[in-house]
Amino acid sequence: MIKLSVVIPVFNEQHRIEPLLKTVDAATRSWRGAREIIVVDDGSTDGTGAALAAAARDGIPVTVLCHERNRGKGAALRRGVLASHGALVLLTDADLATPIGELRALLARIAEGADVAIGSRGVRGSRILVPQSRFRQWSGHVFNRIVRLILLPDIADTQCGFKLFRGPAARALFAHSVIDGYTIDVEILRLAAAAGLTIAEVPVTWSHMEGSKVRVLRDGVRMGRELLGIWNRLGMRARVRPELTLHPGRVLPR
């Protein structure tokens, strides 16, 4: 039985693949055969595919799923999560801006009863070792304010790319997601909140890494449209269908 699935979306990350997979492999080795590492190559046009093949040949237990074209972070995460088998599912970004060792803190909150434990840069106890530029900080602050105002008032940071789910909940949530872009995190957490799942926001250590694929001006408009779509679908007007049961008393909205 797979106890832990690690899902990593990648796009044009040929130079990060080897250290990324070696780090994740070493950090999860204590799970022995009860783990899987799933990498979704989201239509890379560089040497990412060759780097992933080399890592597999070197004995790293990685399953590689590929998109023929770049579809977006949301689409990649959905593909990986729905292919997972773990009792727990960890989502992490390829740059490991949040060190994989922070998994221990998230596991502790799951052990206490949370359904979802998310790494956060916005709660007391978090540490930012390398900050983003002032413009990125400002745009992130504006985005978070909007999200809290219209969708998730109790969550300070939806966009930290380090999240742990109970496996059945992860697969149910992503099966009902539709967002292909960067606001997938907001959609999934809104689905979880509407379903009555327990979400624990956990302070983590985080560092800005160069090479981010997010372009604030280019992607900002799309993210705004996606937020509006999430609000239209999952805001105050959301209805609940009892047949979408995660476990007794907890359901997903249509």
Side-chain angles (χ1 to χ4, degrees), residues 75-132:
L77 283 175
R78 182 161 49 249
R79 177 88 181 274
V81 170
L82 294 182
S84 71
H85 302 89
L88 297 172
V89 176
L90 175 69
L91 312 182
T92 184
D93 288 339
D95 59 9
L96 294 180
T98 303
I100 193 72
E102 298 286 357
L103 174 59
R104 291 188 295 271
L106 272 59
L107 283 168
R109 298 305 299 271
I110 294 290
E112 292 171 0
D115 299 295
V116 184
I118 65 172
S120 175
R121 299 160 292 184
V123 294
R124 180 174 297 180
S126 61
R127 294 193 302 157
I128 308 298
L129 301 184
V130 180
Q132 297 175 304

Side-chain angles (χ1 to χ4, degrees), residues 111-233:
E112 292 171 0
D115 299 295
V116 184
I118 65 172
S120 175
R121 299 160 292 184
V123 294
R124 180 174 297 180
S126 61
R127 294 193 302 157
I128 308 298
L129 301 184
V130 180
Q132 297 175 304
S133 68
R134 289 188 178 182
F135 180 61
R136 281 184 176 269
Q137 290 181 50
W138 174 83
S139 59
H141 176 72
V142 171
F143 181 85
N144 286 338
R145 288 290 297 272
I146 294 171
V147 169
R148 297 189 76 167
L149 180 65
I150 68 173
L151 288 167
L152 292 163
D154 298 324
I155 296 181
D157 180 13
T158 60
Q159 299 308 109
C160 180
F162 198 73
K163 296 177 173 67
L164 183 66
F165 299 76
R166 295 187 188 274
R171 289 179 282 273
L173 293 168
F174 276 89
H176 289 89
S177 69
V178 299
I179 296 295
D180 286 342
Y182 290 114
T183 58
I184 183 66
D185 301 90
V186 176
E187 182 189 32
I188 290 299
L189 292 175
R190 178 65 192 131
L191 280 166
L197 300 183
T198 302
I199 303 171
E201 198 167 6
V202 183
V204 294
T205 298
W206 186 89
S207 300
H208 172 67
M209 300 293 184
E210 294 299 326
S212 170
K213 302 302 186 295
V214 181
R215 297 295 179 264
V216 176
L217 297 178
R218 181 195 69 188
D219 296 318
V221 174
R222 178 183 179 182
M223 292 175 72
R225 288 198 301 264
E226 289 176 348
L227 276 185
L228 181 60
I230 296 168
W231 181 80
N232 282 332
R233 178 171 167 247

Side-chain angles (χ1 to χ4, degrees), residues 30-113:
S30 61
W31 296 74
R32 300 182 184 277
R35 58 162 180 168
E36 61 181 359
I37 302 170
I38 300 173
V39 175
V40 183
D41 182 358
D42 190 28
S44 295
T45 56
D46 63 354
T48 294
L52 287 167
R57 287 194 300 270
D58 288 342
I60 295 177
V62 58
T63 298
V64 179
L65 305 175
C66 297
H67 290 164
E68 291 185 3
R69 61 178 178 83
N70 180 247
R71 295 176 55 194
K73 178 184 177 182
L77 283 175
R78 182 161 49 249
R79 177 88 181 274
V81 170
L82 294 182
S84 71
H85 302 89
L88 297 172
V89 176
L90 175 69
L91 312 182
T92 184
D93 288 339
D95 59 9
L96 294 180
T98 303
I100 193 72
E102 298 286 357
L103 174 59
R104 291 188 295 271
L106 272 59
L107 283 168
R109 298 305 299 271
I110 294 290
E112 292 171 0

